[in-house]
Amino acid sequence: MCGIFGYIGTKDPLPICLFGLKQLEYRGYDSSGIAGLYGKEIVSCKEAGKISGLEKKLALKPLALDLAIGHTRWATHGKPTHLNAHPHFDRASSIALVHNGIIENYDLLREELKRDGTHFASETDSEVIVHLIAKYYQGSVLGALQRTLPQLRGSFALALIHRDHPGQIFATSRECPLCVGFDDARTEAIVSSDPNAFLATTPNVVFLRNNEIVKVEKNQTSFFNYSLVPLVKKSERIDSEFKALSKEGYEHFMLKEIHEQPATVQKALLGRIDQAQIHLDLKLSEEKLKQLRHIWLLGCGTSAHAGWLGTLLFEDLVRIPSSMEIASEARYRNPILTPDTLVVAISQSGETADTLAAMREAKRRGSSILGICNIKNSAISREADSTLYLNAGPEVSVCSTKAFTSQISTIALFALYLAKLKGMSDAQLHYYLDELEKVPGQIQQVLSRASELQAIAKKYAAYEDFFFLGRRYMLPTAMEAALKLKEISYVNANGYPAGELKHGAIALINERFPVIALCSNIQTHEKIASNLMEVKARGAPVLAFAPQGMEAVASIADDIFWLPPAIDPFAPFASTIAGQLFAYYIALERGCEIDQPRNLAKSVTVE
Ligand code: M6R
């Protein structure tokens, strides 16, 4: 996982490369670097840490460049140090290379190269590639790639330059996203991991497929397969509705994005409900949807939590069996997928490697795929049979907030659409749509009392261990709230089924182990009240997020945050906002880096 960006054209490549890398920083921010050609010399600059560090270094000593490639890294092999930062170079410094992905057989290749006398400057798997290309280079970069690439196992996208080939960037990919963009007049070209990093002037895009190579020049882009047979590839046009990203006065993107949720949930519904009927622009026929017998949801992290909520929504609203699998597990399972199974791949970025791989495997087995994505032109949205977009706008904070509530809004809408196709009455549909349309208001109510959560968070900020308990709809919600807390506050937080605690995990409970109880599932509220009595009896401080009027919980909890009432299927929204704010204020109190937490990246494009 990492971001690759390259530029060749009429403008100064340095600021453009820095701009592109910043757009790709969501893919990793352990280190960054730029290398370019100036005449026949390779020049470079790299720095450990975020791109702002590289930018400062370059401001002191700018590079004069004819063209450039750049990289922002999420460390897999080797620590996030200056030495391991990309670009990597061959011994003679004639090649500079940036790599995204993992070379699974790098250790064997490294040993072989060492035996030939190659000296390695870094601990990365990536460095073997540049030495192999140098080893096979006999005047043609394409020829060297032809010999190198078949030796690499794993997934990769890479871009490289060679000092004997001024005016050219070479790139290739296998199971990792990479695309080339260019302007209408063909005066400039970009190589990027993501078309969303393109310039407004380069709206034409060609996505590389597996095992394709591209040679990018100012006025020409040539594609080849591994046998170096030229390929004819069509370009697509993308909307480059680039908007500068701004915190709009908020201290962090995370807080801004939390506060956007009344609007983003509304946007997920916008244009999809008309005269109490649901209109989804699906490329799956109604006939096919009516015949569905099983829904298999896939996702990772927050998107997996949305998927778990989806299984409850499909079961309750559509009465159709559904199951959720974490994509990294799903891809190695042997699932029973029949033509009447619909696979729903959920991903904010649409680029998550595990989700993409699991979805591809399901497609290979003949299933139809519905993508639920935020990012247009992302790999999942391109490969799915149909995609429902979240329309939530860019989510910058690594810790996902608004994407989650948009995912559950979109899944709920799709569930109701399916339910209607399968015979839900108009009266029932109207009832649920009315309840769904109340959600933005409920979210707003929680946001307007953010200061109460801040005060509660202050009280809990020093604890190192937390349980988040929930039942039914509150279980995935509790897991999501716990993920928020561990991700940005670095404390141990577990989302756990409230009724399961007594089967072992309750042994952990003591007065230093607070329990946050998500009590908004009305059907089970008496049960969770009993579970809270059990932890209270063992000394745990108890904080409850409960719907107004749930007195049974109020008498047990040490602290309570009242939530607006909602029906069980839509109760996750308000509770989620409370969980997000609680995590945010704890992280703030602990002085943690909120928008870019340590060890993480926004989009996880490695296995
Ligand atoms: O882009 P995706 O939705 O596929 O990303 C999946 C996870 O990596 C992501 O949700 C991650 O768990 C978030 N950082 C959680 O806040």
Side-chain angles (χ1 to χ4, degrees):
M1 187 160 90
C2 303
I4 290 178
F5 190 88
Y7 176 80
I8 176 167
T10 47
K11 303 181 185 120
D12 179 359
L14 187 60
I16 292 181
C17 236
L18 281 169
F19 163 85
L21 290 180
K22 279 191 217 150
Q23 303 306 307
L24 298 174
E25 199 169 19
Y26 71 87
R27 304 174 73 90
Y29 37 80
D30 285 332
S31 64
S32 58
I34 287 179
L37 279 165
Y38 187 57
K40 289 196 84 180
E41 276 314 300
I42 287 189
V43 288
S44 67
C45 179
K46 46 189 187 175
E47 185 69 338
K50 295 186 182 156
I51 293 165
S52 52
L54 179 72
E55 202 171 19
K56 277 187 199 137
K57 203 167 170 180
L58 283 164
L60 295 175
K61 208 173 163 210
L63 297 176
L65 299 166
D66 298 329
L67 57 81
I69 54 173
H71 188 265
T72 182
R73 177 171 187 244
W74 185 78
T76 59
H77 295 58
K79 293 197 178 90
T81 57
H82 181 271
L83 271 186
N84 290 330
H86 296 222
H88 291 287
F89 308 93
D90 64 320
R91 205 171 174 179
S93 280
S94 48
I95 306 169
L97 172 137
V98 291
H99 165 227
N100 164 32
I102 291 178
I103 305 303
E104 287 168 358
N105 57 336
Y106 84 100
D107 46 352
L108 284 177
L109 296 170
R110 195 176 164 106
E111 286 317 308
E112 269 173 40
L113 284 161
K114 274 186 177 168
R115 277 198 294 276
D116 292 348
T118 303
H119 167 77
F120 280 81
S122 77
E123 305 158 312
T124 64
D125 54 339
S126 316
E127 199 185 336
V128 297
I129 314 172
V130 73
H131 292 306
L132 280 175
I133 294 171
K135 175 174 163 183
Y136 296 125
Y137 179 75
Q138 288 174 338
S140 159
V141 175
L142 288 173
L145 282 170
Q146 188 185 20
R147 293 190 65 188
T148 302
L149 299 176
Q151 294 195 34
L152 306 179
R153 281 210 311 270
S155 57
F156 52 82
L158 45 103
L160 66 127
I161 51 178
H162 194 295
R163 72 174 173 205
D164 295 344
H165 300 265
Q168 296 178 345
I169 298 175
F170 299 86
T172 183
S173 91
R174 186 193 295 165
E175 303 288 349
C176 274
L178 200 67
C179 54
V180 182
F182 48 87
D183 61 337
D184 292 337
R186 296 241 173 197
T187 57
E188 55 183 353
I190 282 174
V191 176
S192 175
S193 302
D194 178 346
N196 291 298
F198 285 4
L199 304 174
T201 49
T202 54
N204 305 295
V205 60
V206 181
F207 292 95
L208 261 73
R209 298 179 77 89
N210 276 347
N211 302 331
E212 291 181 344
I213 303 171
V214 60
K215 180 168 79 173
V216 183
E217 294 162 287
K218 215 182 257 179
N219 305 314
Q220 195 182 340
T221 315
S222 322
F223 296 90
F224 306 90
N225 65 15
Y226 271 15
S227 309
L228 302 189
V229 175
L231 303 171
V232 179
K233 285 180 71 77
K234 272 200 167 157
S235 64
E236 300 166 36
R237 229 168 147 84
I238 51 160
D239 314 331
S240 53
E241 44 168 48
F242 173 75
K243 287 193 202 88
L245 299 170
S246 148
K247 291 186 202 144
E248 291 168 14
Y250 288 96
E251 198 174 341
H252 296 98
F253 278 108
M254 181 179 173
L255 191 61
K256 176 193 160 216
E257 287 158 7
I258 290 174
H259 279 268
E260 280 178 332
Q261 290 174 99
T264 48
V265 167
Q266 222 145 19
K267 277 192 198 158
L269 309 181
L270 195 75
R272 289 172 170 167
I273 304 173
D274 187 32
Q275 300 188 342
Q277 296 297 325
I278 300 170
H279 305 274
L280 299 177
D281 191 15
L282 287 173
K283 295 192 186 79
L284 298 163
S285 76
E286 287 194 0
E287 262 339 284
K288 179 157 189 77
L289 292 173
K290 273 184 196 161
Q291 279 156 21
L292 289 182
R293 287 176 165 273
H294 179 227
I295 297 180
W296 199 39
L297 297 108
L298 303 171
C300 301
T302 288
S303 297
H305 298 151
W308 270 305
L309 285 171
T311 61
L312 299 175
L313 289 165
F314 288 124
E315 190 172 286
D316 282 345
L317 305 180
V318 197
R319 301 298 299 137
I320 189 169
S322 66
S323 47
M324 165 67 210
E325 184 66 277
I326 292 196
S328 52
E329 288 298 315
R331 63 188 290 185
Y332 295 111
R333 279 184 59 170
N334 187 11
I336 298 157
L337 302 174
T338 57
D340 44 21
T341 303
L342 176 70
V343 172
V344 180
I346 309 166
S347 173
Q348 188 284 131
S349 61
E351 297 288 348
T352 298
D354 287 321
T355 312
L356 192 57
M359 173 188 124
R360 282 178 179 154
E361 179 56 23
K363 202 168 180 184
R364 200 184 62 77
R365 290 171 185 242
S367 290
S368 300
I369 315 285
L370 174 67
I372 297 199
C373 299
N374 195 29
I375 304 294
K376 304 238 162 87
N377 298 310
S378 55
I380 291 177
S381 67
R382 290 199 311 275
E383 293 186 31
D385 296 293
S386 187
T387 299
L388 286 173
Y389 285 107
L390 306 182
N391 301 327
E395 189 180 64
V396 178
S397 158
V398 167
C399 185
S400 184
T401 54
K402 63 177 179 174
F404 180 68
T405 46
S406 294
Q407 284 165 342
I408 49 181
S409 311
T410 309
I411 295 169
L413 213 50
F414 176 63
L416 288 171
Y417 175 81
L418 213 51
K420 185 73 186 45
L421 284 183
K422 285 184 168 278
M424 179 183 261
S425 70
D426 275 341
Q428 267 185 311
L429 179 65
H430 295 179
Y431 165 75
Y432 284 116
L433 286 179
D434 279 351
E435 294 300 321
L436 192 55
E437 286 180 322
K438 287 179 193 164
V439 165
Q442 293 159 356
I443 295 177
Q444 192 56 56
Q445 284 185 48
V446 179
L447 291 173
S448 65
R449 291 168 40 233
S451 56
E452 278 176 53
L453 281 161
Q454 184 164 20
I456 296 174
K458 270 199 171 131
K459 189 168 162 190
Y460 286 82
Y463 290 103
E464 294 297 329
D465 300 288
F466 291 83
F467 268 126
F468 284 74
L469 301 186
R471 284 172 172 259
R472 291 265 293 149
Y473 284 94
M474 286 301 114
L475 175 57
T477 314
M479 292 163 78
E480 174 59 8
L483 179 62
K484 299 302 88 163
L485 188 59
K486 58 188 144 196
E487 195 172 359
I488 57 170
S489 298
Y490 317 142
V491 297
N492 172 33
N494 288 303
Y496 215 76
E500 180 65 11
L501 206 64
K502 58 186 176 288
H503 297 288
I506 200 166
L508 292 167
I509 290 290
N510 61 29
E511 62 289 347
R512 298 292 310 148
F513 211 127
V515 167
I516 320 296
L518 277 70
C519 307
S520 291
N521 197 80
I522 304 298
Q523 183 205 1
T524 53
H525 84 275
E526 285 172 351
K527 305 292 171 197
I528 200 161
S530 308
N531 301 139
L532 293 188
M533 289 298 282
E534 292 153 13
V535 294
K536 190 86 190 134
R538 288 157 179 87
V542 174
L543 162 63
F545 295 161
Q548 272 139 19
M550 196 179 271
E551 293 308 325
V553 172
S555 57
I556 307 166
D558 299 286
D559 296 286
I560 192 151
F561 182 79
W562 293 114
L563 294 164
I567 61 169
D568 283 357
F570 303 146
F573 290 95
S575 306
T576 293
I577 309 302
Q580 292 170 351
L581 285 168
F582 181 70
Y584 174 82
Y585 287 121
I586 288 200
L588 196 67
E589 194 63 25
R590 293 172 73 103
C592 299
E593 178 128 15
I594 292 183
D595 283 334
Q596 292 184 324
R598 72 182 181 209
N599 303 342
L600 298 181
K602 183 70 185 157
S603 175
V604 184
T605 56
V606 289
E607 195 176 339

